[in-house]
Amino acid sequence: MHTDGGVNERLKRAFPAMKASFAGVRSLHVEGMDAVVGELTIIGSDSDGSTISETRAAAFGEAEGLRFPAFSLQPQSVLLKLMPGILGLEAVKVAGDAGFARAYHLSAVHPQKTRALFNEGVVAWLAAHPGLRLESSGRGMLLYCAGRSRPEPESFARDAAEIFHRLAESQRNAPPVAPQDARSAAEATQGPLGKRVRKELVTRADLAAFLAQPLPRKPGSNIREYCERRSPPMWPGIGLIFATVGAAFAYGFGVQGDWKGILFGAAFVAVGAPVAFFTGRTHLRLMRLLRRGEVVSARIERLEDTGWWTSTTGALWRLRLRYSLQGQPRESEATISGFAIERAQQALDAGKPVTILVDPRRAERVLLADDLLTVSPEYEP
């Protein structure tokens, strides 16, 4: 029997970047899938940064031993039609019912695999059922109604079971897709999105070449992007500006004997100096790990959500690692984000070792090598 807590734990692992939770879940019968239906509350932010939440009927399913391509299907809009590249959502064109393109916008990590999934039967069914939102992260799929519509619960449950069944059957019977090189796919991506992907792309071959360098390593621009995501370079500068301006104010008002002005300037220093120090220190530590970190094999003991989320990294998860350094057993923690969460979960489930970089000065400071990868697991065997 499914519980809200159990389903929410699975949802969190399938969609780590999504802030959402189920309530009132009940089993949904779909052959070959473990699926539930219930009320989903999604937490987001408004244009002014305030927190908003919406609750809607939703269904979540996973297929044991079956991996779906990662994709996002949402109702078509004028903005998506005009600026998909700027939004980072290049449309994937599929064959079949012309009404599908009018009703939906489909974007995907691996377009070729996604086209193989969306056969004519799936496309025709979705064209006849507009207004749905469907997200896939691999094994996990999430379906809910877009907008403010509130469908009749039993009708929505039947629709969810039907589309999950159709997608599962389509995936099982999908024709094989020839392997596609991630760098070639990036070269084919147009607009600002393609430019950003090419700049940040780190493939398994890139990572292996980087780790094989003699010390001190020289990170390429794509590897250095990792440090900029974790510790944006603007923050030390902003902190330094605050501290400098505050010090100037404090000095100027001090000459005049204005204590209120001195306190005003000191407040700027009190904010800016710690920001500059801690963010700058984080950047330097990361660069030292990249340049001089010792390559070590480790085992993942635990993987959990930290509850933290940033605009540059998305959701942050914590790893508990066990490894040996110079013959001495060690334990430490590291934070990861993006595709590294899925890779870490796979390694934990399979009991496989992972590669980490260990700071030679402080052995408790470690970095999961796979966290440097920006290529989707879908482009790897």
Side-chain angles (χ1 to χ4, degrees), residues 29-338:
H29 178 68
V30 182
E31 185 179 352
M33 292 188 71
D34 184 5
V36 298
V37 64
E39 292 287 314
L40 181 73
T41 299
I42 302 175
I43 300 173
S45 58
D46 210 341
S47 56
D48 61 358
S50 58
T51 300
I52 58 173
S53 65
E54 293 182 322
T55 300
R56 56 196 65 186
F60 173 72
E62 293 178 303
E64 188 66 36
L66 186 65
R67 179 184 173 84
F68 297 95
F71 64 84
S72 176
L73 180 78
Q74 57 186 302
Q76 189 63 273
S77 69
V78 174
L79 193 61
L80 287 169
K81 284 183 177 180
L82 294 177
M83 297 188 297
I86 294 177
L87 297 173
L89 296 169
E90 289 285 358
V92 176
K93 304 298 183 183
V94 295
D97 195 318
F100 176 85
R102 293 192 296 269
Y104 289 107
H105 181 280
L106 176 64
S107 56
V109 171
H110 198 303
Q112 291 181 340
K113 290 183 178 179
T114 305
R115 290 190 189 97
L117 174 66
F118 279 73
N119 60 28
E120 290 189 5
V122 170
V123 168
W125 190 94
L126 287 167
H129 296 77
L132 297 173
R133 183 77 185 255
L134 182 61
E135 305 285 342
S136 168
S137 65
R139 271 181 55 189
M141 286 202 300
L142 180 65
L143 176 76
Y144 56 93
C145 294
R148 300 183 181 275
S149 60
R150 300 284 296 182
E152 194 274 325
E154 291 305 319
S155 174
F156 176 80
R158 288 193 298 271
D159 287 345
E162 178 65 20
I163 189 57
F164 280 179
H165 171 72
R166 286 175 179 263
L167 287 166
E169 284 298 301
S170 177
Q171 183 63 23
R172 291 188 186 96
N173 299 319
V177 175
Q180 185 177 12
D181 177 65
R183 197 164 296 282
S184 298
E187 291 295 335
T189 305
Q190 303 297 315
L193 172 62
K195 184 177 181 180
R196 185 174 75 246
V197 169
R198 289 188 289 274
K199 178 184 177 183
E200 300 177 357
L201 184 63
V202 180
T203 65
R204 184 69 64 178
D206 294 332
L207 178 60
F210 171 69
L211 295 179
Q213 289 184 35
L215 300 181
R217 304 181 192 90
K218 295 181 180 180
S221 60
N222 57 347
I223 298 286
R224 287 199 303 272
E225 284 289 326
Y226 173 83
C227 290
E228 296 188 9
R229 290 195 304 274
R230 286 304 184 92
S231 180
M234 65 177 180
W235 286 112
I238 291 174
L240 189 60
I241 290 172
F242 264 68
T244 303
V245 170
F249 269 108
Y251 176 78
F253 285 118
V255 171
Q256 300 173 25
D258 186 343
W259 287 103
K260 290 183 178 178
I262 293 174
L263 291 175
F264 176 76
F268 271 72
V269 175
V271 172
V275 169
F277 174 76
F278 287 109
T279 57
R281 184 181 67 175
T282 297
H283 184 82
L284 290 174
R285 286 178 175 177
L286 290 173
M287 287 303 298
R288 186 163 65 242
L289 274 167
L290 292 176
R291 292 180 182 277
R292 298 187 177 277
E294 185 174 343
V295 179
V296 174
S297 179
R299 293 278 179 178
I300 300 175
E301 298 290 311
R302 189 171 67 248
L303 174 65
E304 59 188 5
D305 186 9
T306 65
W308 288 92
W309 190 95
T310 75
S311 59
T312 54
T313 63
L316 288 173
W317 283 53
R318 182 184 297 110
L319 287 175
R320 183 70 182 177
L321 297 159
R322 185 185 299 273
Y323 54 99
S324 178
L325 187 66
Q326 297 177 350
Q328 297 296 318
R330 299 271 187 174
E331 287 189 4
S332 188
E333 292 184 348
T335 55
I336 59 174
S337 61

